[in-house]
Amino acid sequence: MAVIDEVKQVLGETLQLGDRAKQFTAETSLFGAIAEFDSMAVVTVVTALEERFGIFIEDDEIEADVFETVGSLAAFVDRKLAA
């Protein structure tokens, strides 16, 4: 499964979006565009991504541009996996 597909699955499960997450593309806006994705949800999503991918995300890595779109979040996870 591609990283972006796993990221979409994490978003869907964490934010309880049901089938909506399956329709997401790399260009789908996240923070500020999806009502369920607020500042509190960021912490939950980060934790879920860490558990799913076996990565550790530092507090200073949690920046707005990472959570701008599904694609930017997947690219961030990809970089963490490659590190």
Side-chain angles (χ1 to χ4, degrees):
M1 181 180 285
V3 169
I4 193 165
D5 293 326
E6 288 191 69
V7 167
K8 290 190 316 188
Q9 192 171 18
V10 167
L11 289 169
E13 292 168 2
T14 307
L15 303 176
Q16 300 176 349
L17 299 174
D19 289 336
R20 286 173 42 205
K22 293 179 184 176
Q23 308 304 317
F24 290 173
T25 67
E27 292 79 33
T28 301
S29 295
L30 292 175
F31 199 71
I34 299 173
E36 295 88 348
F37 198 62
D38 58 16
S39 57
M40 291 302 296
V42 169
V43 176
T44 308
V45 168
V46 165
T47 301
L49 290 171
E50 288 177 328
E51 290 174 2
R52 170 66 68 90
F53 292 100
I55 58 176
F56 180 73
I57 300 171
E58 299 282 349
D59 290 344
D60 64 354
E61 293 178 299
I62 301 172
E63 299 175 349
D65 61 335
V66 169
F67 295 94
E68 188 174 338
T69 65
V70 173
S72 63
L73 184 55
F76 173 77
V77 171
D78 243 350
R79 288 191 301 275
K80 293 297 288 183
L81 290 170

